[in-house]
Amino acid sequence: MSENTHTTGFPYTVSRTMNAPVARAWQAYTTAAEWPAWFGAAEGSVEIDVRAGGAWKSTLLGPEGGEFPLTGTFLEVEEGRRIVLTMDVPGAPAEVMAITFEEDGDGVKVTIDQTNSTAEAREQAKEGSTMILAGLAAHIEA
């Protein structure tokens, strides 16, 4: 079971089981060239240094054509199992997100845990995380 990274605020957890091995889900999540296919990132905008203290950045493409620059830092990386990172969203406080990868039968269960500063931020983040997991599933199950 995954743990929230903060104990105060407005937490949420979303999970999705995918028909792919853990190694495939991990590869897609930690390879910059794969992000545009599942994260909704602009081509060429993703840079990731997957190690504790490493930075990441991406420009998220919105459904109506808007562009949203995202940056952050990897706080923890447990190869093939868990990532904890910060997400610096413009105009909002930095948030900490944990992503876990667990074997689930013949597939992988990917779980995102996050605690947000407001209920509104939680609802937006939860919706975004649900979309992230749907995109990841479509990408790695193809």
Side-chain angles (χ1 to χ4, degrees), residues 2-3 38-39 42 45 75 81 89 94 100 106 112 119 132 134:
S2 33
E3 301 171 15
W38 64 267
F39 188 75
S45 73
L75 301 176
R81 183 175 148 17
V89 181
T100 57
D106 291 335
I112 298 175
I132 286 170

Side-chain angles (χ1 to χ4, degrees), residues 28-88:
Y29 218 105
T30 60
T31 304
E34 292 199 46
W35 276 40
W38 64 267
F39 188 75
E43 288 287 340
S45 73
V46 181
E47 294 178 22
I48 54 178
D49 181 6
V50 185
R51 61 179 175 84
W56 69 274
K57 73 176 187 175
S58 172
T59 299
L60 184 63
L61 299 174
E64 281 101 41
E67 292 188 2
F68 305 94
L70 299 172
T71 61
T73 303
F74 290 95
L75 301 176
E76 298 175 29
V77 176
E78 189 178 332
E79 184 75 28
R81 183 175 148 17
R82 180 174 162 88
I83 298 169
V84 179
L85 54 84
T86 64
M87 184 179 303
D88 306 318

